[in-house]
Amino acid sequence: MSVQSQAFTGNCSDCPVRHRAVCAHCEIDELDELESIKYYRTFEAGQTIIWSGDKMAFVGSVIAGIASLTQTMEDGRTQMVGLLLPSDFVGRPGRDGSAYDVTATTDVVMCCFRKKPFEQLMARTPHIAHRLLQMTLDELDAAREWMLVLGRKTAREKIASLLSIIARRDASLSPNGPSGAMVFDLPLTREAMADYLGLTLETVSRQMSALKRDGVILLEGKRHVTVPDMGRLMEEAGDDSDGGLMA
Amino acid sequence: MSVQSQAFTGNCSDCPVRHRAVCAHCEIDELDELESIKYYRTFEAGQTIIWSGDKMAFVGSVIAGIASLTQTMEDGRTQMVGLLLPSDFVGRPGRDGSAYDVTATTDVVMCCFRKKPFEQLMARTPHIAHRLLQMTLDELDAAREWMLVLGRKTAREKIASLLSIIARRDASLSPNGPSGAMVFDLPLTREAMADYLGLTLETVSRQMSALKRDGVILLEGKRHVTVPDMGRLMEEAGDDSDGGLMA
DNA sequence: CGATCAGTTGAATATGGTCAACGGCTGTGG
DNA sequence: CCACAGCCGTTGACCATATTCAACTGATCG
């Protein structure tokens, strides 16, 4: 499976997430410093990027692909606690170990910075520290929004919530169908969806079928989704209409 | 209900959270600047501190008491997404509105800073920005740990998880019983516990009774809890032994 | 004293989980 | 080329867990 970065040469100025990642606000000279401590790594779908508890040698940005953060209990139950998309930051400056497993859901390209030099650079570079604070606050908001989904929504609402998040995120990128319908491919298996939603994969499958039966979504194959009416989907999600941000 | 700060005069050097709050790493001169934009406010139990969607005029630290962050759906379902304890920070620099309701669970004393001057000060003061980043990363970890609780734990495990968090947090402050038993008062009603755990208050009540019946906890009245064996409680929570991170 | 509030408990029910069978695809090897 | 295994997903039958609705207790307050 190819990732979009095949044409990417490793130059920050060509970087697809240049304006959104942790380096977004950097000046030229700061970018030069980052360049000197950065390197690229690719991970295949399914591969673990960082193990929970391991000490991390690097931090970095996801450039292409999707990674997930998961927590695991001793008896094997798992909960996905975050989805990392291109431009998202991986790692925790100021702490050695990761609290969760980071796994490549699709093939992933990362821009890594050696951790020590990055921390030192951050101490000298308010632009980076400030951007990281912003991003962390956004992630905190997202995590808390997800807590509402996990704690209070029904299985059907959970599925609808996940679909509407993915749909809105892909809104800019993917081709829109007729009459403002949204079309996208699910980047997750049913099992990954279940891990994200705190459900079993059987329940995910059933509710997907139910939403399809009720005309809320159309399915072509297992992964290709068309949402004829976003408003309807958002109602199903319990997020009446607005949903917060729909630039 | 009296709060412990009655003797607190409003001087940073006497502040009970001086070394843990957002101002923890400040030098004397930075502290002086903070003093000039700070003021105290008290909120009675049950009072709303900030409404979701409102624009905030201030940010600040909880000095005494407990506040909670809650999300609400149109149909009234609510989920608590954070508990704010003394030293925790309220508000989001760089954004006007709050994404959640902030409510005083007990009587609360806050040290407030006018938002604009605080943001300006933060831009000039790496110590504050850095401390805020640390605290935000900690909150993010806590939120993600809670996602596992909400998504994958049984009602009994959820209750045990909440009790062990409260117990560990009060560990330093409260008097320990004999043989390392932990003793504390629940700062939450059954309903607030339910909101935090994604359960109904009836289920909370039943599981509390069950844990009491099984000798995992002792109850005196409704709120006074003794945990004779923390290890046992942690097992019940599914968090084998360690429990992760809570300095 | 009644009223209100926090909490407990019971009985019936619904929602999602568990276990199991099965369908469709893809890749491999005879 | 077909047979087969492995993976992802769907569906059904049954069951467990937590919710719902309701009655009830004990404390506090005016």
Side-chain angles (χ1 to χ4, degrees):
Chain A
M1 201 171 292
S2 81
V3 286
Q4 68 206 69
S5 69
Q6 282 184 325
F8 178 50
T9 58
N11 215 313
C12 286
S13 49
D14 299 336
C15 180
V17 298
R18 168 71 182 90
H19 54 301
R20 306 188 56 206
V22 71
C23 50
H25 301 335
C26 285
E27 308 289 355
I28 306 273
D29 55 327
E30 294 164 344
L31 223 48
D32 284 346
E33 281 208 72
L34 277 174
E35 294 251 26
S36 73
I37 59 169
K38 91 178 190 210
Y39 56 99
Y40 295 95
R41 264 184 86 175
T42 64
F43 299 87
E44 287 177 22
Q47 216 180 334
T48 296
I49 299 174
I50 301 168
W51 293 96
S52 164
D54 268 22
K55 77 175 167 204
M56 302 175 283
F58 64 87
V59 298
S61 300
V62 175
I63 303 280
I66 296 184
S68 58
L69 307 179
T70 52
Q71 301 237 44
T72 306
M73 293 171 65
E74 296 76 18
D75 63 7
R77 280 176 282 177
T78 65
Q79 173 67 49
M80 200 182 295
V81 296
L83 261 188
L84 298 177
L85 304 166
S87 84
D88 282 339
F89 187 78
V90 177
R92 166 145 187 182
R95 189 165 289 179
D96 278 342
S98 169
Y100 353 89
D101 293 327
V102 182
T103 313
T105 294
T106 63
D107 287 357
V108 165
V109 181
M110 287 202 47
C111 172
C112 306
F113 307 107
R114 284 176 296 122
K115 188 154 174 296
K116 266 281 156 45
F118 182 84
E119 284 171 1
Q120 288 159 1
L121 180 54
M122 211 178 73
R124 277 179 286 128
T125 317
H127 282 149
I128 296 179
H130 183 249
R131 176 70 185 137
L132 187 56
L133 177 58
Q134 274 188 349
M135 293 175 72
T136 306
L137 286 164
D138 285 340
E139 276 188 272
L140 186 55
D141 279 346
R144 284 173 169 164
E145 190 149 330
W146 207 250
M147 287 172 66
L148 176 65
V149 173
L150 290 174
R152 291 301 183 192
K153 291 195 178 179
T154 64
R156 170 182 265 242
E157 289 169 335
K158 286 179 174 181
I159 299 286
S161 298
L162 179 58
L163 292 176
S164 76
I165 284 182
I166 294 175
R168 268 183 290 160
R169 209 178 43 209
D170 286 12
S172 44
L173 310 168
S174 74
N176 285 18
S179 72
M182 308 212 80
V183 181
F184 57 92
D185 283 295
L186 279 174
L188 303 173
T189 64
R190 297 289 185 265
E191 187 178 21
M193 293 172 68
D195 278 350
Y196 201 40
L197 295 166
L199 297 170
T200 59
L201 65 89
E202 292 95 329
T203 298
V204 170
S205 188
R206 275 186 250 277
Q207 297 298 336
M208 288 290 288
S209 300
L211 289 175
K212 176 179 162 191
R213 173 168 33 73
D214 299 343
V216 181
I217 58 173
L218 308 176
L219 276 178
E220 245 173 291
K222 317 296 186 185
R223 301 291 195 91
H224 194 74
V225 179
T226 303
V227 181
D229 177 356
M230 265 313 272
R232 174 78 193 286
L233 182 63
M234 309 261 288
E235 267 174 49
E236 293 284 357
D239 291 346
D240 235 9
S241 54
D242 69 282
L245 37 134
M246 268 216 92
Chain B
M1 201 172 289
S2 79
V3 285
Q4 69 207 68
S5 69
Q6 282 184 323
F8 178 48
T9 60
N11 215 313
C12 287
S13 49
D14 299 336
C15 180
V17 297
R18 167 73 182 88
H19 54 301
R20 304 189 59 204
V22 70
C23 51
H25 302 334
C26 286
E27 308 288 355
I28 306 273
D29 55 328
E30 294 162 344
L31 223 48
D32 284 345
E33 282 208 74
L34 277 175
E35 294 250 27
S36 72
I37 60 168
K38 94 179 188 209
Y39 56 99
Y40 294 95
R41 265 184 86 175
T42 63
F43 298 87
E44 287 176 23
Q47 215 180 336
T48 297
I49 299 175
I50 301 168
W51 292 96
S52 164
D54 269 21
K55 76 177 168 201
M56 302 175 282
F58 64 87
V59 298
S61 300
V62 175
I63 303 279
I66 295 185
S68 58
L69 307 178
T70 51
Q71 302 238 41
T72 305
M73 293 171 66
E74 296 75 20
D75 62 7
R77 281 176 281 177
T78 66
Q79 174 67 49
M80 198 182 295
V81 297
L83 260 188
L84 298 177
L85 303 166
S87 84
D88 282 339
F89 188 77
V90 177
R92 169 149 182 179
R95 187 166 290 181
D96 278 341
S98 169
Y100 352 89
D101 294 327
V102 183
T103 312
T105 294
T106 63
D107 288 357
V108 165
V109 181
M110 286 202 46
C111 172
C112 306
F113 307 106
R114 284 178 296 123
K115 189 154 172 296
K116 268 277 156 49
F118 182 84
E119 285 170 2
Q120 288 158 2
L121 180 54
M122 212 177 72
R124 277 179 286 128
T125 316
H127 282 149
I128 296 179
H130 183 249
R131 176 70 185 139
L132 188 56
L133 177 58
Q134 273 188 351
M135 291 175 72
T136 305
L137 286 165
D138 284 341
E139 276 188 272
L140 186 55
D141 278 346
R144 286 174 167 162
E145 191 151 327
W146 206 250
M147 288 174 65
L148 176 64
V149 173
L150 291 174
R152 291 299 184 195
K153 292 195 178 179
T154 64
R156 171 182 263 244
E157 288 169 334
K158 285 179 175 181
I159 299 286
S161 298
L162 178 58
L163 293 176
S164 77
I165 283 180
I166 295 175
R168 267 183 291 160
R169 210 177 41 209
D170 286 13
S172 42
L173 309 168
S174 74
N176 286 17
S179 70
M182 307 212 80
V183 181
F184 58 92
D185 282 295
L186 277 175
L188 303 173
T189 65
R190 297 289 186 266
E191 186 178 22
M193 293 172 70
D195 278 350
Y196 200 38
L197 296 167
L199 297 171
T200 60
L201 66 88
E202 293 96 328
T203 300
V204 170
S205 187
R206 275 186 249 277
Q207 296 300 335
M208 287 289 289
S209 299
L211 289 176
K212 176 180 160 191
R213 174 167 32 73
D214 299 344
V216 181
I217 58 172
L218 308 176
L219 275 178
E220 244 172 291
K222 316 294 185 183
R223 301 291 195 91
H224 193 75
V225 179
T226 302
V227 181
D229 177 356
M230 265 314 272
R232 174 80 193 284
L233 182 64
M234 310 263 287
E235 268 174 47
E236 293 283 357
D239 290 347
D240 238 8
S241 54
D242 70 283
L245 37 130
M246 268 220 100

